Amino acid sequence: MIMGMEWTTWLIETTVATSLAVLFVLAARQPLRRAFGAAIGYAAWALVPLLMIAVLLPTAGQRLPGAVAGASAAPILPPSMQAAASSDFDPMPWLLAVWLAGAIVMAVATLGQQWRFQRGLGRVARREDGLYQAETILGLPAAFGLLRPRIVVQRDFDTRYSIEQQALIRTHERSHIRRGDLHVNAFVALLRCVYWFNPLLHYAVRRFRHDQELACDLRVLARHPRSRRTYGEAMLKTLLAANPSPLACHWAQAHPLKERILMLKQPLPAAKRVGIGATVLGLVALASGFGVWAGQPADAPKTESVYLHSVPGEPMVSLAATDEMPREVAGRIATQAGLILTNPQALDDSGKGVSLQVDRIPARSALELVAGSSGMKPVFQGRSVTFVPVDVKR
């Protein structure tokens, strides 16, 4: 149950963080692009994984595992008593199964789409110029491959494009490879599998890929500023893919080609302008990341698991305590069980708070848990209970 709660908390928190980041980027991408250039508009998408990581980091108010002294004890019943101790339905295993099923279905669909794309290429042969030539023409040229990236062109590549256009296309696809866009696309595909239930993320993917292409176009134009017209003509000569790859970088996908061609008419952003945009984006990233990180609630006190032992006919108790004095918790246990504490003040020497939550466990075990946090142990004589140091034998 505890692991189920941790899993759902992680999934909910990261879903909220990524959704907020996606909403911000969707609203800001075009203003950022107009003000500072396509590179800054594309870089804004880095806020999505940034906020996801920020929400997973422990805050100053949270305790790192193994770093807290005097952690409280949380009881766990032995296996023979667990079924009898709780009859509540636990939905966590079912929720986990549904999530895993959805993630697997999404992963299979993604791999199937990639397989159909590569199968549709037909026979692929290496060319003398280092490119690879397929038997088809749809959706090419394209770069794909995580371990061994390659650029695949259509069968009529040499006749469809001029020599200058071929050089521009090679520069474009090699820029994708050098910048790590293929690996970024794989990460995006992984996010879609993990958060398959979030329609906002699926909606954002096409906009992300569009911004990726615009940023790549800008890099090519920066190297070939006098080839704008040739570059645009090469775009118009390309046939869109019927089954585009979720992992590849296509020269021309189902992106708004009109917007890409219109960008060719705009002057390249000055270095100072791009620098200002990077600074603005960096400040937004720091502020939003810190806000998400600092806004997390503090963890509950760290707990340790112990097994409880019962005696037939022994009174059972139920209670919850959060950082309370051991004396007070022991008194509540004694009241429920009808016991008399002869020296409850002995539990106050440690000055440590006790945190625990128990449901129908033996009173003897509950008192052992509370006394143990103060280095004491209970000694029972009828209904009277005396606390003595753990190294004292009675």
Side-chain angles (χ1 to χ4, degrees):
M1 179 69 176
I2 293 176
M3 292 195 62
M5 291 297 294
E6 292 178 350
W7 166 76
T8 53
T9 300
W10 169 84
L11 193 61
I12 292 173
E13 289 180 352
T14 54
T15 299
V16 172
T18 53
S19 297
L20 291 176
V22 166
L23 286 174
F24 173 81
V25 176
L26 288 176
R29 53 190 282 269
Q30 291 185 347
L32 286 173
R33 193 164 65 231
R34 287 193 295 266
F36 307 113
I40 301 301
Y42 176 52
W45 289 102
L47 288 173
V48 177
L50 174 66
L51 293 195
M52 183 176 66
I53 294 173
V55 80
L56 296 176
L57 294 177
T59 65
Q62 291 178 310
R63 298 184 173 99
L64 294 173
V68 182
S72 60
I76 297 180
L77 296 177
S80 60
M81 298 176 61
Q82 288 179 1
S86 175
S87 60
D88 294 338
F89 171 72
D90 185 4
M92 294 305 170
W94 294 97
L95 292 177
L96 178 60
V98 171
W99 174 75
L100 282 176
I104 292 174
V105 169
M106 190 67 194
V108 170
T110 301
L111 293 176
Q113 186 178 358
Q114 178 69 18
W115 178 81
R116 287 191 297 272
F117 165 73
Q118 294 188 210
R119 184 171 179 267
L121 297 178
R123 182 176 175 273
V124 178
R126 184 180 176 88
R127 293 160 46 103
E128 294 182 358
D129 57 4
L131 304 182
Y132 290 81
Q133 194 155 22
E135 294 179 333
T136 186
I137 60 175
L138 295 178
L140 298 176
F144 63 89
L146 297 179
L147 300 179
R148 298 175 58 186
R150 60 178 62 181
I151 300 174
V152 181
V153 298
Q154 57 269 67
R155 63 172 182 263
D156 59 350
F157 179 74
D158 295 321
T159 57
R160 180 182 294 267
Y161 304 106
S162 67
I163 299 299
E164 184 181 4
Q165 289 171 346
Q166 294 175 29
L168 292 172
I169 291 173
R170 285 194 295 268
T171 301
H172 179 99
E173 298 301 336
R174 287 169 179 166
S175 179
H176 276 308
I177 295 174
R178 285 195 303 269
R179 291 284 178 159
D181 288 342
L182 297 177
H183 296 86
V184 172
N185 291 346
F187 176 71
V188 171
L190 177 63
L191 287 183
R192 296 185 71 183
C193 294
V194 175
Y195 302 98
W196 56 267
F197 52 85
N198 188 354
L200 185 61
L201 188 62
H202 300 297
Y203 172 82
V205 168
R206 183 176 178 181
R207 279 76 190 167
F208 162 79
R209 297 291 292 268
H210 177 48
D211 290 343
Q212 184 181 78
E213 291 301 322
L214 289 175
C216 191
D217 291 340
L218 189 65
R219 293 194 297 268
V220 175
L221 293 178
R223 295 184 59 183
H224 304 275
R226 298 183 178 180
S227 301
R228 295 171 180 265
R229 181 181 181 87
T230 305
Y231 197 76
E233 291 174 348
M235 288 185 190
L236 295 177
K237 289 181 179 180
T238 304
L239 298 179
L240 302 181
N243 294 303
S245 165
L247 305 179
C249 291
H250 293 268
W251 163 251
Q253 287 196 73
H255 297 302
L257 286 178
K258 179 180 178 180
E259 187 174 1
R260 290 180 66 185
I261 293 175
L262 287 176
M263 192 191 73
L264 302 179
K265 302 179 180 180
Q266 301 174 3
L268 295 175
K272 181 179 179 180
R273 181 176 157 200
V274 175
I276 294 175
T279 302
V280 170
L281 188 59
L283 293 175
V284 170
L286 287 175
S288 57
F290 179 79
V292 169
W293 172 75
Q296 300 178 74
D299 280 346
K302 185 179 180 293
T303 62
E304 296 176 352
S305 300
V306 297
Y307 280 105
L308 307 180
H309 304 278
S310 63
V311 176
E314 186 174 3
M316 312 293 283
V317 297
S318 301
L319 78 158
T322 303
D323 202 24
E324 297 184 21
M325 294 305 296
R327 178 178 181 176
E328 298 175 357
V329 179
R332 293 167 57 189
I333 295 173
T335 300
Q336 287 191 42
L339 302 174
I340 300 174
L341 305 181
T342 61
N343 61 337
Q345 67 279 0
L347 301 179
D348 293 341
D349 293 339
S350 67
K352 299 177 182 178
V354 173
S355 297
L356 78 163
Q357 183 172 352
V358 296
D359 183 18
R360 292 193 56 76
I361 70 168
R364 177 187 298 269
S365 299
L367 287 175
E368 288 176 351
L369 290 173
V370 176
S373 66
S374 300
M376 309 291 284
K377 66 179 180 180
V379 177
F380 293 82
Q381 295 178 339
R383 288 192 172 276
S384 298
V385 182
T386 303
F387 298 105
V388 298
V390 293
D391 56 351
V392 175
K393 297 182 179 180
R394 291 286 299 270

